[in-house]
Amino acid sequence: MTEVLEPLVAIPGVRLAALATPDGVPIASCVPAGEASDEDPQALAALVSGWLASLGPALGLASWDFGQRAVLRGSRGTLVVRHAGAALLLAVLEPGTSADELRLPLDAALARLARIARGARSQAAPPPAPLPSRIAQAAPHSLTDKSSETSPRD
């Protein structure tokens, strides 16, 4: 998954990029090369999970595409979240970096993630054959109508 995250952390102003499940379990994370990050990916994944869970009921039907993109701005930086199917794509930005500058790179990362998922599915072993079933044998008289065979035709 680092091949999805590395192009994001190469963008100036991005401190951390991560993938997490919607329930807060981190999948992968990446920081810029040669830099140390004080952000904990596990804590960020848990924060985002709780944040999105509380936003849903608060917004209700106010937003049709709720959860596709969320931005949380703070004094130490900005957290950008994109919903990626069964995962969340997170990016932590330096203060002063615009979250809008990351729209296109996040869309590209989501496309790479989808290609990787499609490739993994196509390389997976084919499903096993169906289990053998027992076909009930029909009674001989139910297959043919004996009365029509013996009756004379006019």
Side-chain angles (χ1 to χ4, degrees):
M1 291 298 146
T2 57
E3 63 268 16
V4 173
L5 302 176
E6 284 175 348
L8 291 175
V9 296
I11 298 170
V14 177
R15 289 193 311 217
L16 175 109
L19 278 170
T21 61
D23 59 348
V25 178
I27 298 171
S29 65
C30 192
V31 295
E35 294 185 24
S37 177
D38 59 346
E39 282 87 11
D40 180 15
Q42 292 179 340
L44 280 173
L47 169 78
V48 167
S49 173
W51 178 44
L52 292 179
S54 64
L55 273 179
L59 291 177
L61 295 176
S63 174
W64 285 105
D65 60 349
F66 168 73
Q68 296 303 315
R69 181 175 183 267
V71 178
L72 176 65
R73 290 184 176 88
S75 61
R76 292 182 47 205
T78 303
L79 176 64
V80 181
V81 182
R82 281 293 312 262
H83 193 267
L88 299 172
L89 182 58
L90 319 170
V92 179
L93 309 178
E94 295 284 345
T97 305
S98 173
D100 290 330
E101 295 174 9
L102 220 59
R103 273 186 193 266
L104 191 58
L106 283 175
D107 289 343
L110 291 177
R112 278 192 299 276
L113 188 62
R115 278 194 306 272
I116 290 170
R118 278 193 310 266
R121 276 183 277 177
S122 67
Q123 293 175 358
L131 295 174
S133 62
R134 202 173 114 205
I135 299 174
Q137 295 293 329
H141 58 82
S142 66
L143 294 176
T144 58
D145 186 9
K146 302 273 185 191
S147 62
S148 65
E149 292 177 5
T150 58
S151 65
R153 294 195 177 199
D154 295 319

